[in-house]
Amino acid sequence: MNSLDALFKADATALSLRQKRLEILGSNIANAATPHFKARDIDFEAAYKSAMNSGELTKTASAHIDVGGTAQSAEVRYRVPLSPSLDGNTVELHVEQLQFAENATHYEATLNFLNGRINSMRKALKGE
Amino acid sequence: MANKLTIFDVASRSMAAQQVRLNTIASNLANAASVSGNPDTVFRPIKPVFEAQYHDVMEKTGIATVDVTAISKSSLPPEKRYAPNHPSADREGYVYAPPIDTNAEMIDMLESSRQYQNNIEVLSTAKALLIKTLNVGK
């Protein structure tokens, strides 16, 4: 792994997972009125750890399987509803909106961290 | 769904579905008072059928939008009212009113418009984040 990859891997993984989660939570909100729809979500912490731990082993053949996971292979689970509705839909708008807002804020925070990293690197390059 | 569903597709198709739902509600409310002398020709309330459309066949990604797959007509019998002076009353003096619960329709309308708003929130949040991401490093 080169040093640029190492520098940006944490932020890139987090952003990619947050983006994925944004899409899933957006889907839940979009399907708030669909009968039998089951709300989904990913466990960000677990998925992040698994994505960060991957790629430690050198693969010598293309058929080798990654240890750990990637941001794309994060496990999508079903949400356990607090009070399921009669039509079989498990989307609870207040929960989804809260998670969506939390996820968006964390996405923005990660963007700020990334910007900070880029700026400090730029400063180091310029030597000002 | 073979194509990739982005969050913009998800929200916009859901908004389109809510729009169809609002249209059916408007049509039901508009016809709530349309009585007829024939029980077979009286207006029947309509309802959209929502179905989740998944991004992948296995439903593994959890990304799904919603489509209106059908508009179903209510099978409830029309309300029979005795109104012998009504111009469209039948021979026995009855008119038939569509079985529309206006209160339920109004509540449906509120719920639908709230969900439309939620989708707009999702869209604007996603758009704001996307623009911020494009400006990374500037």
Side-chain angles (χ1 to χ4, degrees):
Chain A
M1 194 188 287
N2 67 43
S3 52
L4 255 186
D5 267 358
L7 185 65
F8 291 126
K9 190 183 176 191
D11 289 337
T13 311
L15 274 184
S16 156
L17 272 171
R18 289 282 173 210
Q19 160 77 23
K20 196 178 149 124
R21 193 155 177 246
L22 193 83
E23 286 179 347
I24 293 171
L25 295 173
S27 300
N28 290 347
I29 293 175
N31 278 290
T34 314
H36 309 299
F37 182 82
K38 308 293 179 219
R40 314 284 289 268
D41 200 358
I42 49 177
D43 180 352
F44 180 84
E45 224 178 291
Y48 181 75
K49 268 187 195 148
S50 129
M52 287 305 284
N53 288 333
S54 69
E56 298 290 328
L57 288 178
T58 316
K59 290 190 286 183
T60 51
S62 58
H64 287 174
I65 299 166
D66 270 321
V67 183
T70 60
Q72 289 317 308
S73 69
E75 195 188 352
V76 184
R77 299 200 190 157
Y78 290 94
R79 180 161 346 271
V80 179
L82 296 169
S83 53
S85 67
L86 278 175
D87 63 359
N89 185 308
T90 63
V91 178
E92 287 167 306
L93 267 179
H94 52 282
V95 176
E96 301 303 332
Q97 279 171 325
L98 197 92
Q99 298 286 342
F100 189 85
E102 187 237 301
N103 192 57
T105 315
H106 278 111
Y107 186 98
E108 234 180 303
T110 313
L111 273 185
N112 284 339
F113 295 148
L114 183 61
N115 263 327
R117 252 182 255 276
I118 293 171
N119 281 337
S120 44
M121 202 159 97
R122 189 176 284 153
K123 267 192 191 135
L125 283 172
K126 280 186 184 164
E128 282 167 353
Chain B
M1 270 304 299
N3 303 331
K4 181 164 165 48
L5 271 179
T6 66
I7 186 140
F8 296 102
D9 299 329
V10 168
S12 65
R13 274 168 72 181
S14 175
M15 277 158 74
Q18 296 296 348
Q19 189 78 57
V20 172
R21 189 174 171 202
L22 280 172
N23 282 339
T24 62
I25 294 166
S27 145
N28 290 346
L29 285 175
N31 284 292
S34 327
V35 294
S36 158
N38 183 347
D40 299 325
T41 58
V42 72
F43 177 81
R44 292 199 175 279
I46 48 176
K47 285 253 180 281
V49 178
F50 279 17
E51 199 174 277
Q53 299 290 325
Y54 288 93
H55 162 61
D56 51 331
V57 187
M58 301 294 287
E59 304 176 10
K60 264 177 104 173
T61 54
I63 297 168
T65 184
V66 56
D67 275 343
V68 176
T69 50
I71 305 279
S72 81
K73 274 192 175 178
S74 160
S75 54
L76 287 173
E79 273 174 47
K80 200 174 173 184
R81 284 185 202 152
Y82 185 61
N85 295 328
H86 198 284
S88 48
D90 64 5
R91 237 182 281 159
E92 281 115 41
Y94 287 104
V95 289
Y96 300 88
I100 293 167
D101 182 348
T102 44
N103 294 322
E105 297 288 340
M106 294 299 272
I107 290 168
D108 246 20
M109 183 182 79
L110 279 182
E111 196 197 327
S112 189
S113 86
R114 284 284 305 156
Q115 274 165 13
Y116 193 90
Q117 284 174 26
N118 280 332
N119 281 309
I120 292 178
E121 278 305 310
V122 169
L123 268 189
S124 59
T125 309
K127 188 181 143 205
L129 289 178
L130 192 68
I131 290 170
K132 282 198 178 120
T133 314
L134 283 174
N135 286 325
V136 157
K138 277 190 185 160

